[in-house]
Amino acid sequence: MTTRIGVLTAGGDAPGLNAAIRAVVRTAIGVHGFEVLGFRKGWRGVMDGNVLELTPASVQGILHRGGTILGSSGADPYHEQGVERVRRTFADLGVDALVTIGGEGTMGAAAHMSSEGVPVVGIPKTIDNDLSGTDACIGFATAVQVATDAIDRLHTTAESHDRLMVVEVMGRSAGWIALSSGIAGGADTILVPEHPFDLEEVASVLRRRHLTGHSFSIVVVAEGALPAEGTMPVPDYPKDPRGAPRFGGIAYEIAPRLEELTGWETRVTVLGHVQRGGSPVAVDRIVATRFGAAATDLIAQGGFGQMVALHGDRIGEVPLPEAAKVRPVPKELVAVAELFFEERRRR
Ligand code: F6P
């Protein structure tokens, strides 16, 4: 009997998902002779048995397209007592194994399903780039490019008006986008979730920069960055259905305080979901294609319960429970960024 595999995209979308779906389908059918079903809207589609058959024709022309042809959702069968429904869908549709493309939440759900005996393999995707055990996640490179382009544009207008620009980028638990786009765009201070910030200190770094002849500054802040205890009130974020904070808007809290502390006119830009939209850059298309092919090969070998990963320049794998942990930015990258923050450089 022909092996039939399923594929889903879950959690927040990211540029490069379609490239991964295409690679799964082409490898599954072309190399292994499998059949492929696409589950719509992430785990919701598995629980509801909502599928479409995927063929080489149905994945034609999608390599460069953003979003996901399968749709996505944050549904988690484990939280919804849906494990039985997943099993039933597998039995009803004759699905032998599942490729789950997603971030921390998706890998956590996949780890749970795997511990319940569901044959599953993961592919790392999140613009936040914060999955453990892999050096790359689909979507990150594109998000960094979008944020870097924005910072470049803010530079020219900041310079014209002698302004302080606060740019907020995504990054719930880790500051990968902030740090990477901040380094690439020449930010003067970068605030990340891993290191609570003190605005007095930030202001003194910026003042020092202005004393040395600069008339404008760029501050990049990750949405999940938080103030050091006792320095300013912690914003009261709304919660998502699982009780996790829905970030967004820390730049608006920071900007008036920095304006007061420095005396410089300050403006805010919150990049938001623009970082997740549009066409993936080449690096994301390539890594997504490699991951899609490797995940399908892993299924053919019976290597369930793992997520494919990039280790240096090689494709490897990591057990799902390990992958579903946050990977903070490394100290070395923070140190490189700090070389360009005026006051710290002189200490
Ligand atoms: O995890 C990726 C991410 O882009 C986060 O950086 C951000 O907080 C979140 O998704 C936003 O998700 P939503 O689409 O639910 O607003």
Side-chain angles (χ1 to χ4, degrees), residues 126-128 170-172 223 273 276:
T126 164
I127 67 160
D128 289 2
M170 280 187 168
R172 254 193 320 231
E223 61 180 354
H273 290 79
R276 286 206 335 222

Side-chain angles (χ1 to χ4, degrees), residues 18 38 59 113 167 270 317 338:
N18 285 327
V59 294
M113 298 314 281
V167 194
V270 178
E317 55 268 344
E338 285 184 345

Side-chain angles (χ1 to χ4, degrees), residues 5-7 16-29 31-32 34 36 98-101 121-125 138 284-300 307-310 315-316:
I5 68 168
V7 56
L17 285 174
N18 285 327
I21 296 167
R22 171 181 174 267
V24 168
V25 173
R26 294 283 291 270
T27 310
I29 295 172
V31 178
H32 299 291
F34 296 165
V36 189
L98 180 66
V99 179
T100 61
I101 312 175
V121 163
I123 294 181
K125 165 281 335 176
I138 297 170
D284 274 328
R285 297 181 200 190
I286 295 164
V287 82
T289 300
R290 293 178 74 189
F291 282 158
T296 313
D297 289 345
L298 201 55
I299 284 184
M307 181 186 80
V308 293
L310 193 69
I315 297 289

Side-chain angles (χ1 to χ4, degrees), residues 256-277:
R257 289 179 168 86
L258 279 182
E259 188 167 76
E260 205 181 313
L261 287 166
T262 61
W264 304 318
E265 204 180 359
T266 303
R267 293 289 187 271
V268 171
T269 303
V270 178
L271 289 180
H273 290 79
V274 76
Q275 296 160 95
R276 286 206 335 222

Side-chain angles (χ1 to χ4, degrees), residues 13-16 126-129 137-151 167-171 176-178 180-182 184 220 271-284:
D13 71 344
T126 164
I127 67 160
D128 289 2
N129 201 38
C137 295
I138 297 170
F140 171 62
T142 306
V144 170
Q145 192 58 55
V146 170
T148 303
D149 290 346
I151 295 168
V167 194
E168 180 177 313
V169 298
M170 280 187 168
W176 287 96
I177 300 177
S180 305
S181 63
V220 178
L271 289 180
H273 290 79
V274 76
Q275 296 160 95
R276 286 206 335 222
S279 214
V281 297
V283 169
D284 274 328

